[in-house]
Amino acid sequence: MTMKETRILDYGKDEVREKLLQAFRRGQKEYAAADLARVTGLPLAQINAEMPALADEYRGRLKVSDKGDLIYSFPEGLRSRYKGFGPALARFAKAFARGAVRAGKALFKIWILVTLVGYFVLFIALALVAFFGSIAIQQGGGRDRDNRRGGGGLGGLWLTTRLFDSLVRLWFYSELFKDPETRYRQQLQRRERKPLHKAVFSHVFGDGDPNADWDSLLKKAFVAYVQTHKGVITMPEFMALSGLRPGDAQDRITRFLVEFEGRPEVTENGALYFFFPSLLAAASQVPSAAASTFPMKKLKSFSSNSRKLDNTFRWVNIVNLLFGSYYGWHALNIGTDVLVRTPDGIGLRGGFAFLYSSTIYLFAQLGVAQPAVVVGWLLGAAPLAFSLLFFSIPLVRSLRLKSENEQLKRENLRRLLYATVLGAPQRLNPAAIQTGMMEATAASPKALEEELDHLAAWASGEPDADGTWSFKDIHFTLEEAERVRAAIDESKFAPGQTVFDTEKPL
């Protein structure tokens, strides 16, 4: 009876990965592929195929000996970033938060527009009613008091509503009888403007992350760079491309090794580089612009509105805030006690309280039960709370925006620094680094110095007496990489001659 044979690469990935993880859990924290073969009994082909994926999932590190041997280590332990209760809960919380934010934004978009504009229009209308009512009462003082409705000047409110109705009609007819040229020009202007609800929402919540597609953009730039450099990239080059510091760049390049079928290698002189032969099998030329560009991240803006429009929203909200405070304060201190006895009879409270008194009287005439309570909540507490929220959200967002943009500037500054070091690793003049662009101008005047010191600590950089810096390790790595590239024949990796085409019959 013969044993059933299976192909070396025909295996269960989960089973192989579990055996490899058990080896690291039982023994030491560093293993070469040969050690893992001894401990697990797995073929080297399976070990070499699965260890890069494990290194990505468990934040592993890849070490290369002077002989070119790969050594895997997990200094942070064997906690998966994708599996288990913690990551699953984090994914669920993230998905739930995204859904809640989308739903909340949709509802808030409607509510905020109706509330902001609706309260503003309502408050202005009530103010106009009270204003014309006070004028009507004053003008009615010389008339026969017996002909006044309600006595004490209350009939002036009826006259005010008629005046307000006349103003509305006047506006309507002015719109109706505009000449065609003026109407057409105004229609074009409205079409060019952003819809009001989008403009308000942009002011409150901004316009999203301008770097939302950054991961895809970085991968495109990475592939273009590798394809134009014979499949070879070094860690300093990848740091300049990504803007990441050494530790973060190591994590990202480990993931790219898995995604793009690459492998770390070492030259005869001990320089580490990463080789991606599969990316050389390209059937088209890489655009020169894509191959030579180190992309910069975009800074976040407060909103896409003009400064004038944002200020308009703030002033409208200030009006709502003042009116809400006014009605709330009077509802607590006056309530329904809005009628006073005067020599002419019963009238409304005058002075600063006249607007509140006339509003209470108007609500009462409309049949509203407990008008003081309704006014206190509807015109006092609600707009006051909304106005505070309308101010607080953009305020908090602007503070966070400043911090986030500072991080983006630091990252862009690192790109400029690393790219400049690649151009002159033996004699870097910090003054020659172009940091004038807004996207890379950090707030701290010592930002460049701090990033330079951090790079020097990783790459053994040394300052010279004339103020320049020398990065011998980076220079050595780049020279070794160029020797490797010179020895690579790209034609061996390019697609061969077409032997089958689905568009042509057999």
Side-chain angles (χ1 to χ4, degrees):
M1 184 175 179
T2 60
M3 296 180 60
K4 183 179 179 181
E5 295 184 356
T6 58
R7 298 178 181 178
I8 294 177
L9 295 181
D10 185 11
Y11 61 92
K13 292 185 177 181
D14 293 338
E15 181 181 355
V16 170
R17 292 181 184 181
E18 183 59 30
K19 288 183 178 180
L20 293 172
L21 289 175
Q22 290 178 1
F24 281 99
R25 290 191 180 105
R26 290 195 304 263
Q28 60 191 39
K29 297 303 181 183
E30 289 189 357
Y31 278 123
D35 298 320
L36 291 171
R38 182 187 71 252
V39 175
T40 64
L42 294 171
L44 287 173
Q46 296 179 10
I47 295 173
N48 293 329
E50 298 305 322
M51 278 308 302
L54 289 179
D56 169 59
E57 181 176 349
Y58 294 91
R59 297 180 175 86
R61 291 289 186 269
L62 298 181
K63 300 180 180 180
V64 183
S65 68
D66 56 357
K67 296 181 180 180
D69 299 319
L70 288 179
I71 301 175
Y72 299 94
S73 66
F74 297 88
E76 298 182 12
L78 294 172
R79 290 183 300 174
S80 173
R81 70 170 88 185
Y82 306 126
K83 299 178 182 178
F85 178 76
L89 181 62
R91 287 194 298 270
F92 172 79
K94 189 175 182 179
F96 180 81
R98 283 199 302 266
V101 168
R102 284 196 295 267
K105 284 185 176 181
L107 295 175
F108 191 70
K109 183 182 295 186
I110 299 173
W111 177 69
I112 196 174
L113 178 62
V114 173
T115 306
L116 179 70
V117 178
Y119 269 117
F120 180 77
V121 173
L122 177 61
F123 285 140
I124 297 301
L126 291 174
L128 288 175
V129 169
F131 174 73
F132 287 112
S134 64
I135 295 177
I137 292 174
Q138 293 175 1
Q139 291 180 347
R143 299 179 182 179
D144 186 5
R145 294 183 177 88
D146 295 334
N147 293 332
R148 284 186 245 161
R149 292 174 175 251
L154 296 181
L157 288 177
W158 175 83
L159 179 60
T160 302
T161 58
R162 297 301 300 271
L163 290 174
F164 185 72
D165 179 69
S166 299
L167 290 174
V168 173
R169 292 174 181 270
L170 181 62
W171 171 83
F172 175 78
Y173 286 116
S174 66
E175 288 289 321
L176 183 64
F177 292 104
K178 283 181 179 178
D179 61 276
E181 182 179 353
T182 301
R183 189 182 303 277
Y184 178 73
R185 185 172 61 253
Q186 292 180 349
Q187 287 178 351
L188 289 180
Q189 293 175 350
R190 283 194 291 268
R191 290 175 184 176
E192 294 176 355
R193 290 198 300 263
K194 182 188 299 184
L196 181 59
H197 69 280
K198 291 185 178 180
V200 173
F201 209 60
S202 175
H203 173 79
V204 178
F205 287 103
D207 298 285
D209 185 4
N211 303 301
D213 61 341
W214 174 253
D215 189 59
S216 176
L217 181 63
L218 176 60
K219 289 180 180 179
K220 292 177 182 179
F222 169 80
V223 172
Y225 188 89
V226 169
Q227 289 179 339
T228 55
H229 289 76
K230 295 189 174 183
V232 173
I233 188 171
T234 64
M235 182 57 71
E237 291 169 327
F238 183 73
M239 289 165 54
L241 193 67
S242 63
L244 299 174
R245 285 183 171 177
D248 296 329
Q250 178 67 54
D251 289 338
R252 187 63 61 88
I253 196 68
T254 300
R255 181 178 301 180
F256 282 11
L257 289 172
V258 178
E259 293 183 9
F260 300 106
E261 299 179 359
R263 59 178 182 265
E265 296 190 1
V266 65
T267 66
E268 294 180 355
N269 296 322
L272 173 67
Y273 66 94
F274 305 95
F275 187 43
F276 295 83
S278 298
L279 294 181
L280 293 179
S284 60
Q285 295 292 329
V286 181
S288 57
S292 59
T293 302
F294 288 173
M296 290 280 187
K297 282 191 174 181
K298 301 176 183 177
L299 299 182
K300 298 181 179 180
S301 59
F302 178 79
S303 76
S304 59
N305 302 327
S306 64
R307 184 183 296 272
K308 180 179 179 181
L309 185 58
D310 280 334
N311 288 334
T312 299
F313 292 145
R314 295 186 183 101
W315 279 111
V316 169
N317 193 54
I318 288 175
V319 172
N320 291 345
L321 179 64
L322 293 177
F323 273 101
S325 303
Y326 171 85
Y327 278 108
W329 188 86
H330 280 86
L332 293 175
N333 290 275
I334 297 179
T336 56
D337 189 18
V338 297
L339 299 179
V340 295
R341 183 176 298 276
T342 67
D344 298 328
I346 301 299
L348 296 175
R349 286 179 178 269
F352 187 63
F354 180 75
L355 173 60
Y356 174 78
S357 302
S358 62
T359 303
I360 293 294
Y361 179 79
L362 180 61
F363 274 51
Q365 293 299 310
L366 294 175
V368 176
Q370 297 182 335
V373 176
V374 174
V375 169
W377 284 103
L378 181 63
L379 301 182
L384 183 60
F386 169 80
S387 299
L388 294 176
L389 185 64
F390 190 88
F391 275 131
S392 62
I393 293 178
L395 178 61
V396 172
R397 189 169 61 83
S398 64
L399 296 176
R400 290 183 55 187
L401 188 67
K402 183 178 180 181
S403 175
E404 291 171 356
N405 278 338
E406 186 62 23
Q407 294 179 3
L408 292 174
K409 291 178 179 180
R410 280 280 187 144
E411 188 172 324
N412 289 332
L413 178 62
R414 286 196 294 271
R415 286 188 183 86
L416 291 177
L417 171 61
Y418 297 162
T420 306
V421 172
L422 294 181
Q426 288 186 300
R427 190 174 178 81
L428 171 69
N429 183 9
I433 300 176
Q434 301 296 326
T435 59
M437 63 176 62
M438 182 178 62
E439 291 82 359
T441 305
S444 173
K446 296 184 177 180
L448 178 60
E449 180 181 348
E450 292 172 357
E451 296 298 336
L452 184 59
D453 290 341
H454 193 278
L455 177 63
W458 174 76
S460 302
E462 297 179 355
D464 295 328
D466 57 356
T468 60
W469 284 76
S470 175
F471 293 88
K472 296 180 180 179
D473 289 352
I474 294 180
H475 177 70
F476 167 73
T477 300
L478 295 178
E479 280 194 334
E480 289 292 296
E482 288 303 321
R483 292 191 182 97
V484 172
R485 289 172 180 138
I488 293 176
D489 184 3
E490 291 183 273
S491 62
K492 295 181 179 180
F493 300 93
Q497 184 179 2
T498 302
V499 296
F500 173 72
D501 190 341
T502 55
E503 296 182 1
K504 296 180 180 181
L506 294 175

